[in-house]
Amino acid sequence: MLVKDENAMSDRWGKRPSDRSVGELLEAGVIALDKPAGPTSHQVTAWAKDALCVGKMGHGGTLDPNVSGVLPLCLGKAMRLTDLVLSSDKEYVCMMRLHRDRDEKRIKEVFQRFIGKIYQFPPVRSAVKRQLRIRTVSELKILEISGRDILFRISCDAGTYVRTLCTDIGEALGCGASMAELRRTRSGSMNESVTASLFDLKDSYIFWQQHGREDWLRNIVKPMESLVEPLPKIIVKASAVDAVCHGADLNVQGIHMLDDDIRKNALVALMTTRGELVALGTMMMSSSKIMATSQGKAVSVSRVLMDAGTYPRMWKFSTDIEELRD
């Protein structure tokens, strides 16, 4: 991480995400739910919302009713970040069933053809427009072959249809194939090792409400900052945080630190020195250019996540706000 101003004001305001109360986490948190096979993603989200008694909750990435696995849930203010979850890469474990017998060597050869760029049409019953799409499969590994059943793991772009992939592999093998079972094991940075069941949600909430034991619930509900972990970061000076919260773009003078090698037009997360998410924005110049200058607009802010007033106002409305927009 590059330092733009080493003499920046020390951070005396705000609160580290790890220091937030359970109530604050429920107003802007993220849950990796282990969705069971059977109900729809919408139904599961409604049950989770009732279990935690929260006002707003949405899921990031629909799973078919018969598919289980990682379903990210965004609470309250974190719902404004669901698009980051939707666009993140995914990992699945799938059981595919061939319609006729095929030699294992032939099966492995065909699987190799579907690594890299692939072309897909969404299924007929899909909610999206049926047009040819290009998706990237970064990993396609056969875990086990038992007769006509093939168990494999796939890491792929968001929007990749595993059911369609099974059909396409079956056609390439000349025998036909269909998806028998599917489980999502990872969505972005959330993997199945950190998931919680619906029973866990309900029980942990009761433990907190009735017994004052919050450790279990804290382990389940993570701060919304976990959703921006993959993004490059810019640390905003304490004196510029409130201006950004009021809608100002971030200029070079408002930067305390930033990651190196950030490209122009890249999506970035604006953070405080305490690790709080302030806003998302688009880089107007590269990080190397920012380090070489002392003025100009560095980030065009597109989405503010922090409430105004969290940090003190240190700018004059008529003059400083215009300077921040330069």
Side-chain angles (χ1 to χ4, degrees):
M1 178 170 279
L2 303 176
V3 179
K4 179 62 184 176
D5 184 1
E6 295 181 353
N7 298 317
M9 184 184 305
S10 60
D11 196 345
R12 293 172 291 172
W13 303 278
K15 182 185 292 187
R16 293 182 179 85
S18 59
D19 293 335
R20 289 173 188 158
S21 67
V22 171
E24 289 172 326
L25 290 175
L26 293 176
E27 292 176 355
V30 183
I31 296 171
L33 183 72
D34 190 346
K35 176 193 171 297
T40 65
S41 296
H42 179 74
Q43 289 172 325
V44 169
T45 302
W47 294 338
K49 179 181 175 182
D50 290 341
L52 296 177
C53 300
V54 295
K56 295 181 179 180
M57 180 184 290
H59 63 79
T62 301
L63 288 175
D64 288 345
N66 61 334
V67 178
S68 66
V70 182
L71 180 67
L73 300 180
C74 299
L75 288 67
K77 193 184 300 182
M79 289 178 63
R80 301 191 62 196
L81 299 173
T82 52
D83 59 322
L84 298 181
V85 183
L86 292 170
S87 61
S88 62
D89 62 324
K90 309 292 192 292
E91 183 182 274
Y92 300 88
V93 171
C94 177
M95 175 68 78
M96 181 179 74
R97 184 159 296 143
L98 302 181
H99 297 168
R100 290 195 298 272
D101 295 333
R102 281 295 180 268
D103 180 72
E104 287 193 13
K105 182 179 179 181
R106 173 64 175 163
I107 293 171
K108 292 177 181 178
E109 290 175 350
V110 169
F111 261 72
Q112 290 298 311
R113 299 182 191 173
F114 289 85
I115 298 175
K117 301 290 185 181
I118 64 171
Y119 297 86
Q120 286 192 325
F121 273 107
V124 175
R125 295 184 180 181
S126 173
V128 301
K129 183 178 180 181
R130 295 199 75 236
Q131 59 184 17
L132 189 64
R133 297 179 168 197
I134 300 176
R135 292 293 183 263
T136 300
V137 175
S138 56
E139 181 187 31
L140 188 60
K141 183 177 181 180
I142 296 176
L143 302 177
E144 184 178 349
I145 299 177
S146 178
R148 297 182 180 182
D149 292 335
I150 304 172
L151 183 69
F152 66 89
R153 180 174 63 242
I154 175 174
S155 297
C156 54
D157 284 347
T160 303
Y161 291 95
V162 182
R163 186 185 302 276
T164 300
L165 178 69
C166 291
T167 301
D168 293 342
I169 291 175
E171 290 182 358
L173 285 168
C175 63
S178 56
M179 187 182 79
E181 294 182 42
L182 183 66
R183 177 174 176 80
R184 184 156 69 192
T185 54
R186 181 177 59 79
S187 178
S189 60
M190 297 182 182
N191 59 59
E192 61 181 346
S193 66
V194 297
T195 56
S197 69
L198 287 167
F199 296 109
D200 291 333
L201 295 188
K202 187 63 177 179
D203 290 344
S204 62
Y205 184 80
I206 292 175
F207 268 59
W208 172 54
Q209 286 286 293
Q210 298 184 1
H211 307 289
R213 296 174 58 181
E214 60 180 38
D215 291 351
W216 192 2
L217 192 56
R218 278 186 173 279
N219 192 50
I220 293 174
V221 185
K222 303 298 183 183
M224 65 178 178
E225 282 78 4
S226 62
L227 293 179
V228 299
E229 287 180 2
L231 297 180
K233 311 291 191 303
I234 290 184
I235 308 302
V236 183
K237 289 182 182 179
S239 58
V241 170
D242 193 60
V244 173
C245 292
H246 277 85
D249 291 328
L250 181 67
N251 71 357
V252 173
Q253 293 178 344
I255 296 176
H256 173 47
M257 301 175 69
L258 72 161
D259 288 341
D260 53 5
D261 298 327
I262 308 177
R263 302 186 308 274
K264 182 180 179 181
N265 297 324
L267 179 66
V268 293
L270 304 185
M271 315 290 292
T272 69
T273 57
R274 291 184 179 271
E276 305 155 288
L277 177 61
V278 180
L280 300 181
T282 303
M283 291 287 285
M284 303 304 293
M285 58 179 80
S286 66
S287 56
S288 58
K289 186 173 181 180
I290 289 174
M291 292 303 299
T293 186
S294 60
Q295 60 184 358
K297 183 191 296 185
V299 181
S300 175
V301 175
S302 57
R303 197 179 318 173
V304 177
L305 281 303
M306 178 177 283
D307 293 332
T310 304
Y311 279 65
R313 175 173 169 172
M314 299 182 186
W315 45 275
K316 298 184 294 293
F317 184 83
S318 59
T319 304
D320 290 0
I321 198 75
E322 292 302 320
E323 291 180 356
L324 286 164
R325 289 183 179 276
D326 287 342

